[in-house]
Amino acid sequence: MSTPTNDTPAFSICVYLGSRPGENPAFARAAVDAGRWIGERGGQLVYGGGRSGLMGMVAEATLQAGGRVVGVIPQALVDKEQANHACTELHVVRNMHERKAMMAERSDAFIALPGGIGTFEELFEIWTWRQLGYHDKPVGILNVDGYYDGLLGFLKTSVDSGLMSDWQMDLVCHGEDLDALMRKLVQEAGNAIPPEVPLRSVI
C-alpha cells in the first residue's frame, strides 16, 4: 500500500465503471472527462483500484489533473484487474465486502459510468444502503450515449408495476451532462465546488 499524502481533498467521489474499455469511444471519453473534472477541482477519486479498461482511464486522468486517487481492490482481483500501484493510496483487501465498505466510507457521493455486472452490483447496493438509511450520500448515474436507457426504462416499469416507489427512484439522480451531474452530487453532499486549479507537475 502506498503512503497517503497530507493533501486534503475538496471532496471525495466514488466512481463505479467497467474494467473493460467497451466498444463505444464515448465511454472512454466519459471516464477521462470524469477524472479530469475531479482532479482539476482538487477532488479525490475513490474507485476499484484497477488499471485496466475504464477504471484505469479515470484514475490516470484524475492523477494527471492533480487529484488524489484511492483504489480499493480485493486480493483475488489484483492480477485480473491489474492493481494500479500509481494510486495515491492503494488498499488490497480480503474480499468484495471489505472493498465496498471501504469505498463507501471514503466517499462523499457515488456515480456510475458505463460498466458491467460489477458496476451494476455496486450501484444497486449503494442505492439499497441509502434506501435503508445506512447512509445519506447522493448517488448518480451518468447515462453516456444512452448506455443506461434500457435500465432506466426498466426501473420505470418497476415503479409502474407497483414494485418500487417514486421516492426510491428519487434517491438516484441521472443525466447525460457530466458537469451538471457531478456538480449536483458534490453540492448535495455538502461540499463547495472550488474553481479549476492549475495542473500540478507530473514530472
Side-chain angles (χ1 to χ4, degrees):
M1 183 176 68
S2 55
T3 303
T5 70
N6 293 322
D7 294 345
T8 300
F11 56 86
S12 183
I13 187 162
C14 180
V15 179
Y16 303 127
L17 73 177
S19 60
R20 301 180 184 183
E23 299 295 333
N24 189 338
F27 301 162
R29 288 196 297 270
V32 171
D33 288 347
R36 286 176 178 162
W37 195 98
I38 294 167
E40 288 172 355
R41 290 160 181 81
Q44 174 172 273
L45 166 71
V46 178
Y47 86 118
R51 60 184 176 87
S52 60
L54 301 177
M55 292 173 65
M57 295 177 196
V58 72
E60 181 178 3
T62 302
L63 290 168
Q64 288 185 349
R68 299 185 85 256
V69 173
V70 176
V72 188
I73 190 167
Q75 182 64 55
L77 294 180
V78 166
D79 293 330
K80 184 176 181 180
E81 294 184 352
Q82 302 174 38
N84 188 356
H85 295 283
C87 292
T88 314
E89 300 177 40
L90 178 64
H91 300 270
V92 179
V93 296
R94 292 177 297 178
N95 52 52
M96 287 294 291
H97 299 293
E98 290 187 4
R99 179 195 221 180
K100 290 182 289 185
M102 182 177 286
M103 290 169 72
E105 180 183 354
R106 297 295 300 270
S107 305
D108 302 322
F110 311 87
I111 185 170
L113 271 64
I117 189 170
T119 299
F120 307 150
E121 191 265 347
E122 289 171 319
L123 168 64
F124 276 96
E125 182 164 76
I126 205 67
W127 182 7
T128 300
W129 287 1
R130 189 177 189 195
Q131 170 195 275
L132 294 173
Y134 295 164
H135 72 86
D136 192 29
K137 300 176 181 180
V139 180
I141 298 172
L142 183 65
N143 190 16
V144 180
D145 203 22
Y147 181 73
Y148 283 111
D149 283 352
L151 175 62
L152 295 170
F154 172 74
L155 292 172
K156 182 179 185 303
T157 297
S158 184
V159 173
D160 293 342
S161 299
L163 297 174
M164 283 180 57
S165 302
D166 287 325
W167 73 267
Q168 292 171 302
M169 283 299 303
D170 290 342
L171 295 176
V172 177
C173 55
H174 57 86
E176 300 176 0
D177 185 316
L178 172 69
D179 181 66
L181 186 57
M182 294 286 262
R183 286 179 178 276
K184 180 178 177 67
L185 292 171
V186 171
Q187 290 171 340
E188 285 189 1
N191 300 113
I193 300 176
E196 296 179 15
V197 296
L199 298 186
R200 302 175 193 174
S201 173
V202 295
I203 298 176

